[in-house]
Amino acid sequence: MAASPAGEASDQWVLIQHPSFNDVTSVQGRFSAFRGDGQYMATARLFIPSAGGGVPTLQFEGFNQPLNDLSSFLHLDFLTNGTVRVNDDSNLTFGTYQRGQVFSVQVTFNIGASAATATMTLLGAASGSLDVAIPSYYLNQARNFGAVRAWMGANSTGAFYADDLSVIFVIP
């Protein structure tokens, strides 16, 4: 755990430092039990320092996914220009966030047998939202939702902080 980068006395943050282009630096939170189809709400607070490059990623993975498996059914890249890109698709870029300030991310999933959607919202020192359909080729992995990862990987160096990373199963 790391002290709050924003000077908040009671919070404990995870500092993710990635000093080289090799490998991956991450923290993965796994569900304690499989829940299946339904509505989920994932939230996190992030702090991405003003200095230093790097593209932090918040991604959503299958239940019991091994730590060394980086596959996901949805991931958000926090680009150096202050926008967010979804699943590496330049057509799915949205919102703005401020480096050097705490901001929040909320992702609400509706996952069912024939389709899955996500609504992503930026809050605090950030703004914007986007609704997307999870591509059909990721539907089985979305239906097996069970982990969230904050990470920085190859082609990036730098550091960022994550706090209050949680997922709530809202509606079965």
Side-chain angles (χ1 to χ4, degrees):
M1 294 296 185
S4 171
E8 299 167 344
S10 63
D11 285 336
Q12 293 190 8
W13 292 71
V14 174
L15 171 60
I16 299 171
Q17 293 181 301
H18 193 68
S20 72
F21 285 111
N22 300 322
D23 299 319
V24 169
T25 306
S26 73
V27 60
Q28 181 193 53
R30 296 179 177 191
F31 293 10
S32 60
F34 179 71
R35 299 291 181 198
D37 293 351
Q39 185 179 72
Y40 297 82
M41 185 173 58
T43 58
R45 292 192 321 148
L46 300 176
F47 179 91
I48 303 169
S50 299
V55 177
T57 298
L58 185 63
Q59 77 178 26
F60 304 92
E61 305 173 342
F63 187 73
N64 282 335
Q65 183 164 310
L67 193 56
N68 63 354
D69 180 353
L70 295 176
S71 61
S72 68
F73 64 90
L74 182 84
H75 73 271
L76 309 177
D77 294 323
F78 295 87
L79 303 176
T80 57
N81 68 0
T83 63
V84 181
R85 180 181 61 206
V86 179
N87 286 349
D88 299 326
D89 185 339
S90 60
N91 293 316
L92 295 177
T93 301
F94 76 99
T96 59
Y97 71 91
Q98 295 294 314
R99 285 185 175 247
Q101 294 185 31
V102 175
F103 65 95
S104 295
V105 181
Q106 177 179 307
V107 182
T108 302
F109 293 101
N110 287 296
I111 300 171
S114 61
T117 61
T119 299
M120 296 148 291
T121 305
L122 303 174
L123 305 160
S127 65
S129 65
L130 180 68
D131 296 323
V132 297
I134 305 297
S136 60
Y137 47 87
Y138 288 134
L139 181 58
N140 285 338
Q141 191 174 16
R143 293 188 72 206
N144 196 36
F145 185 24
V148 180
R149 182 188 313 250
W151 67 289
M152 190 177 289
N155 301 324
S156 263
T157 60
F160 71 102
Y161 296 79
D163 188 27
D164 296 335
L165 183 58
S166 66
V167 178
I168 299 169
F169 186 58
V170 181
I171 301 171

